[in-house]
Amino acid sequence: GESVGLHLPTLSVQEGDNSIINCAYSNSASDYFIWYKQESGKGPQFIIDIRSNMDKRQGQRVTVLLNKTVKHLSLQIAATQPGDSAVYFCAEMRIETSGSRLTFGEGTQLTVNP
Amino acid sequence: NAGVMQNPRHLVRRRGQEARLRCSPMKGHSHVYWYRQLPEEGLKFMVYLQKENIIDESGMPKERFSAEFPKEGPSILRIQQVVRGDSAAYFCASSRTAGNQPQHFGDGTRLSIL
């Protein structure tokens, strides 16, 4: 079912530490996944994506891991900075006849302490 | 390189009025998506459009809501006879093609119903 009005999971880290944000997805037929960062008052900002034929992808300071066996996605942020404080959402793209809709997870509030 | 542009950023309406939300996709993008976000929740898909065509409107309420993406001009999400429950942030995203491509988001329109 869908979550309604639940508080966001939170993660608090010290500046310079590594952060790991986790996400469970629901549809084994999903073949494309994206992590977004959303700051207060703004729209989701693309961070990194991964296709289902991969299990790891690296960007600048970020790594996404995909475990299709348990339908789990994670985002690792190296050397977390105060500017990384935001809500992070995973999104999956389901294979539909019309294609292209994203289904978002519930989000994780990351707070970086100086 | 302008991103996805949405206007207005904030919109206040009284119950029973109409709300019109506009979205100009990124240059070169012909696929537009509308999502709705309630506080502390993830984004929920509403509708997917290409130029002059609605491809998937399965996430949009069948009454009072409509969307269009004309040959010229921005995409419009229209809500007639607004009710308090329509208060939310409405985000538009665009992509260059369909399928496994990142969707890039605007900063949203925050709709408040008095």
Side-chain angles (χ1 to χ4, degrees):
Chain A
E2 294 185 357
S3 63
V4 177
L6 298 177
H7 291 294
L8 292 172
T10 59
L11 176 64
S12 185
V13 301
Q14 291 297 122
E15 182 178 358
D17 286 352
N18 297 333
S19 303
I20 300 176
I21 301 171
N22 297 303
C23 176
Y25 65 93
S26 56
N27 190 341
S28 56
S30 293
D31 65 350
Y32 180 57
F33 305 87
I34 307 176
W35 278 100
Y36 286 97
K37 171 187 180 182
Q38 187 176 26
E39 296 174 285
S40 181
K42 294 192 173 181
Q45 176 188 354
F46 172 84
I47 300 174
I48 192 168
D49 59 357
I50 188 168
R51 289 174 170 73
S52 60
N53 61 353
M54 304 171 70
D55 52 21
K56 180 178 180 179
R57 188 158 189 234
Q58 287 185 291
Q60 186 177 11
R61 282 202 307 121
V62 294
T63 301
V64 55
L65 299 177
L66 174 63
N67 185 331
K68 294 182 288 293
T69 302
V70 295
K71 293 188 286 188
H72 185 266
L73 198 65
S74 68
L75 176 70
Q76 300 178 0
I77 306 174
T80 315
Q81 303 167 0
D84 295 326
S85 294
V87 178
Y88 289 80
F89 292 99
C90 66
E92 61 182 298
M93 186 172 286
R94 301 183 176 193
I95 301 171
E96 308 270 7
T97 52
S98 54
S100 297
R101 70 156 67 181
L102 285 172
T103 299
F104 282 78
E106 63 178 353
T108 296
Q109 172 74 59
L110 174 66
T111 301
V112 182
N113 301 309
Chain B
N1 246 355
V4 176
M5 303 301 293
Q6 291 188 248
N7 70 83
R9 291 295 311 279
H10 301 274
L11 183 60
V12 179
R13 285 287 177 267
R14 296 188 180 280
R15 281 177 295 171
Q17 291 184 320
E18 178 180 288
R20 280 183 177 241
L21 288 59
R22 294 174 186 77
C23 170
S24 295
M26 286 180 69
K27 188 176 181 180
H29 288 193
S30 59
H31 300 257
V32 165
Y33 315 83
W34 286 92
Y35 293 82
R36 172 172 143 149
Q37 186 178 35
L38 296 173
E40 296 201 351
E41 291 191 12
L43 282 72
K44 300 286 195 295
F45 169 80
M46 297 181 73
V47 61
Y48 161 39
L49 310 103
Q50 294 179 33
K51 281 288 187 182
E52 300 184 275
N53 289 304
I54 296 174
I55 307 302
D56 179 1
E57 58 183 345
S58 59
M60 195 161 66
K62 292 193 176 356
E63 297 185 357
R64 302 189 299 107
F65 286 73
S66 62
E68 62 177 13
F69 188 17
K71 187 177 180 180
E72 302 290 338
S75 176
I76 306 286
L77 179 67
R78 182 183 179 205
I79 312 172
Q80 294 178 288
Q81 299 174 330
V82 295
V83 301
R84 288 240 170 92
D86 296 333
S87 294
Y90 292 84
F91 290 96
C92 171
S94 72
S95 65
R96 189 176 299 277
T97 63
N100 298 346
Q101 293 289 317
Q103 294 179 13
H104 297 275
F105 284 81
D107 281 337
T109 294
R110 277 140 189 88
L111 177 63
S112 298
I113 309 301
L114 302 179

mmCIF file with all atom_site columns, all heavy atoms in Angstrom, chain A residues 98-112:
data_model
loop_
_atom_site.group_PDB
_atom_site.id
_atom_site.type_symbol
_atom_site.label_atom_id
_atom_site.label_alt_id
_atom_site.label_comp_id
_atom_site.label_asym_id
_atom_site.label_entity_id
_atom_site.label_seq_id
_atom_site.pdbx_PDB_ins_code
_atom_site.Cartn_x
_atom_site.Cartn_y
_atom_site.Cartn_z
_atom_site.occupancy
_atom_site.B_iso_or_equiv
_atom_site.pdbx_formal_charge
_atom_site.auth_seq_id
_atom_site.auth_comp_id
_atom_site.auth_asym_id
_atom_site.auth_atom_id
_atom_site.pdbx_PDB_model_num
ATOM 1   N N   . SER A 1 98  ? 2.791  1.907  -21.933 1.00 0.00 ? 98  SER A N   1
ATOM 2   C CA  . SER A 1 98  ? 2.994  3.291  -22.331 1.00 0.00 ? 98  SER A CA  1
ATOM 3   C C   . SER A 1 98  ? 4.344  3.826  -21.876 1.00 0.00 ? 98  SER A C   1
ATOM 4   O O   . SER A 1 98  ? 4.777  4.875  -22.294 1.00 0.00 ? 98  SER A O   1
ATOM 5   C CB  . SER A 1 98  ? 1.872  4.163  -21.773 1.00 0.00 ? 98  SER A CB  1
ATOM 6   O OG  . SER A 1 98  ? 1.759  3.984  -20.380 1.00 0.00 ? 98  SER A OG  1
ATOM 7   N N   . GLY A 1 99  ? 5.014  3.110  -21.002 1.00 0.00 ? 99  GLY A N   1
ATOM 8   C CA  . GLY A 1 99  ? 6.378  3.459  -20.604 1.00 0.00 ? 99  GLY A CA  1
ATOM 9   C C   . GLY A 1 99  ? 6.539  4.723  -19.805 1.00 0.00 ? 99  GLY A C   1
ATOM 10  O O   . GLY A 1 99  ? 5.642  5.519  -19.693 1.00 0.00 ? 99  GLY A O   1
ATOM 11  N N   . SER A 1 100 ? 7.728  4.892  -19.240 1.00 0.00 ? 100 SER A N   1
ATOM 12  C CA  . SER A 1 100 ? 8.278  6.167  -18.796 1.00 0.00 ? 100 SER A CA  1
ATOM 13  C C   . SER A 1 100 ? 7.802  6.767  -17.494 1.00 0.00 ? 100 SER A C   1
ATOM 14  O O   . SER A 1 100 ? 8.310  7.783  -17.105 1.00 0.00 ? 100 SER A O   1
ATOM 15  C CB  . SER A 1 100 ? 8.144  7.232  -19.884 1.00 0.00 ? 100 SER A CB  1
ATOM 16  O OG  . SER A 1 100 ? 8.889  6.838  -21.006 1.00 0.00 ? 100 SER A OG  1
ATOM 17  N N   . ARG A 1 101 ? 6.828  6.240  -16.783 1.00 0.00 ? 101 ARG A N   1
ATOM 18  C CA  . ARG A 1 101 ? 6.488  6.843  -15.507 1.00 0.00 ? 101 ARG A CA  1
ATOM 19  C C   . ARG A 1 101 ? 7.507  6.423  -14.461 1.00 0.00 ? 101 ARG A C   1
ATOM 20  O O   . ARG A 1 101 ? 7.997  5.313  -14.448 1.00 0.00 ? 101 ARG A O   1
ATOM 21  C CB  . ARG A 1 101 ? 5.095  6.436  -15.045 1.00 0.00 ? 101 ARG A CB  1
ATOM 22  C CG  . ARG A 1 101 ? 4.994  4.976  -14.625 1.00 0.00 ? 101 ARG A CG  1
ATOM 23  C CD  . ARG A 1 101 ? 3.845  4.756  -13.671 1.00 0.00 ? 101 ARG A CD  1
ATOM 24  N NE  . ARG A 1 101 ? 2.572  4.958  -14.312 1.00 0.00 ? 101 ARG A NE  1
ATOM 25  C CZ  . ARG A 1 101 ? 1.407  4.849  -13.670 1.00 0.00 ? 101 ARG A CZ  1
ATOM 26  N NH1 . ARG A 1 101 ? 1.386  4.574  -12.371 1.00 0.00 ? 101 ARG A NH1 1
ATOM 27  N NH2 . ARG A 1 101 ? 0.276  5.037  -14.310 1.00 0.00 ? 101 ARG A NH2 1
ATOM 28  N N   . LEU A 1 102 ? 7.846  7.361  -13.559 1.00 0.00 ? 102 LEU A N   1
ATOM 29  C CA  . LEU A 1 102 ? 8.717  7.078  -12.432 1.00 0.00 ? 102 LEU A CA  1
ATOM 30  C C   . LEU A 1 102 ? 7.873  6.833  -11.193 1.00 0.00 ? 102 LEU A C   1
ATOM 31  O O   . LEU A 1 102 ? 6.901  7.555  -10.947 1.00 0.00 ? 102 LEU A O   1
ATOM 32  C CB  . LEU A 1 102 ? 9.660  8.248  -12.171 1.00 0.00 ? 102 LEU A CB  1
ATOM 33  C CG  . LEU A 1 102 ? 10.847 8.439  -13.125 1.00 0.00 ? 102 LEU A CG  1
ATOM 34  C CD1 . LEU A 1 102 ? 11.541 9.762  -12.828 1.00 0.00 ? 102 LEU A CD1 1
ATOM 35  C CD2 . LEU A 1 102 ? 11.819 7.287  -13.040 1.00 0.00 ? 102 LEU A CD2 1
ATOM 36  N N   . THR A 1 103 ? 8.261  5.853  -10.397 1.00 0.00 ? 103 THR A N   1
ATOM 37  C CA  . THR A 1 103 ? 7.635  5.616  -9.103  1.00 0.00 ? 103 THR A CA  1
ATOM 38  C C   . THR A 1 103 ? 8.674  5.923  -8.037  1.00 0.00 ? 103 THR A C   1
ATOM 39  O O   . THR A 1 103 ? 9.756  5.321  -8.028  1.00 0.00 ? 103 THR A O   1
ATOM 40  C CB  . THR A 1 103 ? 7.153  4.169  -8.982  1.00 0.00 ? 103 THR A CB  1
ATOM 41  O OG1 . THR A 1 103 ? 6.188  3.921  -10.009 1.00 0.00 ? 103 THR A OG1 1
ATOM 42  C CG2 . THR A 1 103 ? 6.508  3.931  -7.625  1.00 0.00 ? 103 THR A CG2 1
ATOM 43  N N   . PHE A 1 104 ? 8.341  6.867  -7.163  1.00 0.00 ? 104 PHE A N   1
ATOM 44  C CA  . PHE A 1 104 ? 9.284  7.346  -6.166  1.00 0.00 ? 104 PHE A CA  1
ATOM 45  C C   . PHE A 1 104 ? 9.138  6.593  -4.853  1.00 0.00 ? 104 PHE A C   1
ATOM 46  O O   . PHE A 1 104 ? 8.030  6.228  -4.442  1.00 0.00 ? 104 PHE A O   1
ATOM 47  C CB  . PHE A 1 104 ? 9.056  8.843  -5.908  1.00 0.00 ? 104 PHE A CB  1
ATOM 48  C CG  . PHE A 1 104 ? 9.635  9.727  -6.960  1.00 0.00 ? 104 PHE A CG  1
ATOM 49  C CD1 . PHE A 1 104 ? 8.992  9.896  -8.169  1.00 0.00 ? 104 PHE A CD1 1
ATOM 50  C CD2 . PHE A 1 104 ? 10.833 10.390 -6.751  1.00 0.00 ? 104 PHE A CD2 1
ATOM 51  C CE1 . PHE A 1 104 ? 9.522  10.709 -9.161  1.00 0.00 ? 104 PHE A CE1 1
ATOM 52  C CE2 . PHE A 1 104 ? 11.371 11.205 -7.728  1.00 0.00 ? 104 PHE A CE2 1
ATOM 53  C CZ  . PHE A 1 104 ? 10.723 11.366 -8.937  1.00 0.00 ? 104 PHE A CZ  1
ATOM 54  N N   . GLY A 1 105 ? 10.288 6.409  -4.163  1.00 0.00 ? 105 GLY A N   1
ATOM 55  C CA  . GLY A 1 105 ? 10.282 5.913  -2.801  1.00 0.00 ? 105 GLY A CA  1
ATOM 56  C C   . GLY A 1 105 ? 9.892  7.022  -1.843  1.00 0.00 ? 105 GLY A C   1
ATOM 57  O O   . GLY A 1 105 ? 9.612  8.156  -2.251  1.00 0.00 ? 105 GLY A O   1
ATOM 58  N N   . GLU A 1 106 ? 9.912  6.708  -0.551  1.00 0.00 ? 106 GLU A N   1
ATOM 59  C CA  . GLU A 1 106 ? 9.407  7.651  0.441   1.00 0.00 ? 106 GLU A CA  1
ATOM 60  C C   . GLU A 1 106 ? 10.400 8.745  0.783   1.00 0.00 ? 106 GLU A C   1
ATOM 61  O O   . GLU A 1 106 ? 10.019 9.752  1.353   1.00 0.00 ? 106 GLU A O   1
ATOM 62  C CB  . GLU A 1 106 ? 8.992  6.910  1.705   1.00 0.00 ? 106 GLU A CB  1
ATOM 63  C CG  . GLU A 1 106 ? 10.122 6.199  2.405   1.00 0.00 ? 106 GLU A CG  1
ATOM 64  C CD  . GLU A 1 106 ? 9.655  5.509  3.680   1.00 0.00 ? 106 GLU A CD  1
ATOM 65  O OE1 . GLU A 1 106 ? 8.501  5.682  4.078   1.00 0.00 ? 106 GLU A OE1 1
ATOM 66  O OE2 . GLU A 1 106 ? 10.485 4.802  4.287   1.00 0.00 ? 106 GLU A OE2 1
ATOM 67  N N   . GLY A 1 107 ? 11.669 8.597  0.455   1.00 0.00 ? 107 GLY A N   1
ATOM 68  C CA  . GLY A 1 107 ? 12.641 9.643  0.729   1.00 0.00 ? 107 GLY A CA  1
ATOM 69  C C   . GLY A 1 107 ? 13.348 9.478  2.055   1.00 0.00 ? 107 GLY A C   1
ATOM 70  O O   . GLY A 1 107 ? 12.812 8.897  2.997   1.00 0.00 ? 107 GLY A O   1
ATOM 71  N N   . THR A 1 108 ? 14.576 9.967  2.122   1.00 0.00 ? 108 THR A N   1
ATOM 72  C CA  . THR A 1 108 ? 15.378 9.978  3.343   1.00 0.00 ? 108 THR A CA  1
ATOM 73  C C   . THR A 1 108 ? 15.938 11.376 3.528   1.00 0.00 ? 108 THR A C   1
ATOM 74  O O   . THR A 1 108 ? 16.543 11.934 2.612   1.00 0.00 ? 108 THR A O   1
ATOM 75  C CB  . THR A 1 108 ? 16.547 8.978  3.256   1.00 0.00 ? 108 THR A CB  1
ATOM 76  O OG1 . THR A 1 108 ? 16.021 7.652  3.157   1.00 0.00 ? 108 THR A OG1 1
ATOM 77  C CG2 . THR A 1 108 ? 17.446 9.072  4.489   1.00 0.00 ? 108 THR A CG2 1
ATOM 78  N N   . GLN A 1 109 ? 15.735 11.921 4.726   1.00 0.00 ? 109 GLN A N   1
ATOM 79  C CA  . GLN A 1 109 ? 16.269 13.251 5.056   1.00 0.00 ? 109 GLN A CA  1
ATOM 80  C C   . GLN A 1 109 ? 17.703 13.082 5.548   1.00 0.00 ? 109 GLN A C   1
ATOM 81  O O   . GLN A 1 109 ? 17.925 12.480 6.606   1.00 0.00 ? 109 GLN A O   1
ATOM 82  C CB  . GLN A 1 109 ? 15.406 13.903 6.134   1.00 0.00 ? 109 GLN A CB  1
ATOM 83  C CG  . GLN A 1 109 ? 15.972 15.207 6.680   1.00 0.00 ? 109 GLN A CG  1
ATOM 84  C CD  . GLN A 1 109 ? 15.821 16.363 5.709   1.00 0.00 ? 109 GLN A CD  1
ATOM 85  O OE1 . GLN A 1 109 ? 14.722 16.719 5.315   1.00 0.00 ? 109 GLN A OE1 1
ATOM 86  N NE2 . GLN A 1 109 ? 16.941 16.960 5.308   1.00 0.00 ? 109 GLN A NE2 1
ATOM 87  N N   . LEU A 1 110 ? 18.650 13.614 4.792   1.00 0.00 ? 110 LEU A N   1
ATOM 88  C CA  . LEU A 1 110 ? 20.062 13.559 5.191   1.00 0.00 ? 110 LEU A CA  1
ATOM 89  C C   . LEU A 1 110 ? 20.441 14.898 5.816   1.00 0.00 ? 110 LEU A C   1
ATOM 90  O O   . LEU A 1 110 ? 20.258 15.954 5.196   1.00 0.00 ? 110 LEU A O   1
ATOM 91  C CB  . LEU A 1 110 ? 20.953 13.274 3.982   1.00 0.00 ? 110 LEU A CB  1
ATOM 92  C CG  . LEU A 1 110 ? 22.467 13.326 4.237   1.00 0.00 ? 110 LEU A CG  1
ATOM 93  C CD1 . LEU A 1 110 ? 22.897 12.213 5.182   1.00 0.00 ? 110 LEU A CD1 1
ATOM 94  C CD2 . LEU A 1 110 ? 23.252 13.241 2.924   1.00 0.00 ? 110 LEU A CD2 1
ATOM 95  N N   . THR A 1 111 ? 20.982 14.851 7.016   1.00 0.00 ? 111 THR A N   1
ATOM 96  C CA  . THR A 1 111 ? 21.481 16.045 7.693   1.00 0.00 ? 111 THR A CA  1
ATOM 97  C C   . THR A 1 111 ? 22.971 15.871 7.937   1.00 0.00 ? 111 THR A C   1
ATOM 98  O O   . THR A 1 111 ? 23.394 14.853 8.495   1.00 0.00 ? 111 THR A O   1
ATOM 99  C CB  . THR A 1 111 ? 20.768 16.254 9.034   1.00 0.00 ? 111 THR A CB  1
ATOM 100 O OG1 . THR A 1 111 ? 19.360 16.383 8.800   1.00 0.00 ? 111 THR A OG1 1
ATOM 101 C CG2 . THR A 1 111 ? 21.270 17.513 9.723   1.00 0.00 ? 111 THR A CG2 1
ATOM 102 N N   . VAL A 1 112 ? 23.745 16.839 7.495   1.00 0.00 ? 112 VAL A N   1
ATOM 103 C CA  . VAL A 1 112 ? 25.197 16.788 7.660   1.00 0.00 ? 112 VAL A CA  1
ATOM 104 C C   . VAL A 1 112 ? 25.591 17.814 8.718   1.00 0.00 ? 112 VAL A C   1
ATOM 105 O O   . VAL A 1 112 ? 25.350 19.018 8.552   1.00 0.00 ? 112 VAL A O   1
ATOM 106 C CB  . VAL A 1 112 ? 25.920 17.087 6.336   1.00 0.00 ? 112 VAL A CB  1
ATOM 107 C CG1 . VAL A 1 112 ? 27.432 16.982 6.530   1.00 0.00 ? 112 VAL A CG1 1
ATOM 108 C CG2 . VAL A 1 112 ? 25.453 16.126 5.245   1.00 0.00 ? 112 VAL A CG2 1
#
